[in-house]
Amino acid sequence: KQEVTQIPAALSVPEGENLVLNCSFTDSAIYNLQWFRQDPGKGLTSLLLIQSSQREQTSGRLNASLDKSSGRSTLYIAASQPGDSATYLCAVPGGGQGNLIFGKGTKLSVKP
Amino acid sequence: DVKVTQSSRYLVKRTGEKVFLECVQDMDHENMFWYRQDPGLGLRLIYFSYDVKMKEKGDIPEGYSVSREKKERFSLILESASTNQTSMYLCASIVAGVTGELFFGEGSRLTVL
């Protein structure tokens, strides 16, 4: 059964720092991996979708990489800003019909 | 711009009341999902639907039912709300297949007193 783990559960950094969020999964036979952002009391916003044939995807200051063989993905955030403060979740397909298996997220706090 | 819309952002209901949570997507997606999210437990799948009038149980279907009469609309029903159903409910949709991107609504925060 696929399991997704995100460590650390919480992270606090000063503004301007570059940072990496980690995501690991137990079954490497995945079609893709998706990163989401969630602000308090809100739904999840899709940030990046990496297909299994890709090694990385970039959107602005965000870069996500995928290493299927090692069961890992990282989300790199460059020059962090207070507005980046949120919970970041990763998810991979599991259970069929487009359902995703989610990690529990990393809560990021960027201090001014 | 793609959109998943949940009809109610905040609801307060009493124990035993019937609750309807509605979700509409404008992306012509085949698959739709209802999750609940609780602190420390993460997202848990309640039900999903891969076609009109089709539904499948997720991990925690007890106490819930769903309805999908039109492709764009997926409703979650709590027949008799209980306090342990106080939670954030999230609707999502995705195109059929295994390579698509999942999109979420803004969430519905339900409090059952």
Side-chain angles (χ1 to χ4, degrees):
Chain A
K1 182 184 175 185
Q2 178 74 269
E3 292 183 3
V4 180
T5 304
Q6 292 184 251
I7 296 173
L11 181 64
S12 182
V13 301
E15 182 177 3
E17 192 162 298
N18 301 326
L19 60 100
V20 173
L21 304 180
N22 296 298
C23 171
S24 61
F25 44 94
T26 54
D27 184 350
S28 62
I30 59 170
Y31 291 98
N32 55 45
L33 183 143
Q34 197 168 349
W35 281 95
F36 296 87
R37 168 186 172 137
Q38 186 176 31
D39 294 294
K42 297 283 187 69
L44 280 68
T45 300
S46 178
L47 295 174
L48 290 163
L49 173 69
I50 315 176
Q51 301 295 347
S52 59
S53 57
Q54 301 172 313
R55 292 196 66 86
E56 61 180 57
Q57 276 277 31
T58 298
S59 176
R61 293 182 295 107
L62 305 180
N63 177 278
S65 68
L66 175 62
D67 184 346
K68 280 182 57 177
S69 61
S70 68
R72 293 176 186 271
S73 175
T74 60
L75 180 66
Y76 174 83
I77 303 177
S80 58
Q81 303 171 359
D84 295 329
S85 298
T87 298
Y88 292 81
L89 298 95
C90 65
V92 298
Q97 302 293 353
N99 184 34
L100 300 188
I101 308 298
F102 288 84
K104 291 190 177 178
T106 294
K107 185 175 182 180
L108 173 65
S109 177
V110 181
K111 306 290 189 186
Chain B
D1 204 14
V2 298
K3 201 156 188 180
V4 179
T5 303
Q6 294 184 227
S7 57
S8 304
R9 291 278 288 119
Y10 301 96
L11 302 96
V12 180
K13 298 291 182 180
R14 298 206 174 274
T15 300
E17 281 192 89
K18 192 168 186 175
V19 182
F20 292 89
L21 299 178
E22 298 214 310
C23 174
V24 178
Q25 51 95 2
D26 65 0
M27 296 165 280
D28 201 34
H29 285 169
E30 290 79 9
N31 299 344
M32 297 186 73
F33 306 84
W34 276 105
Y35 296 89
R36 66 176 281 178
Q37 185 178 34
D38 301 286
L41 297 177
L43 277 88
R44 292 180 291 169
L45 180 64
I46 305 171
Y47 266 98
F48 66 97
S49 169
Y50 53 90
D51 201 351
V52 174
K53 297 192 185 295
M54 305 303 289
K55 61 184 180 184
E56 293 281 346
K57 293 180 180 179
D59 299 319
I60 51 163
E62 296 79 18
Y64 303 95
S65 62
V66 291
S67 172
R68 187 145 182 222
E69 297 296 318
K70 293 186 177 181
K71 188 176 183 180
E72 67 272 18
R73 188 179 298 269
F74 192 34
S75 301
L76 180 69
I77 304 154
L78 287 68
E79 293 289 343
S80 178
S82 62
T83 55
N84 63 13
Q85 292 178 311
T86 291
S87 186
M88 170 69 92
Y89 290 88
L90 295 164
C91 175
S93 74
I94 192 171
V95 68
V98 296
T99 59
E101 185 175 5
L102 189 68
F103 293 95
F104 279 86
E106 279 287 289
S108 297
R109 179 69 197 176
L110 172 66
T111 301
V112 183
L113 302 175

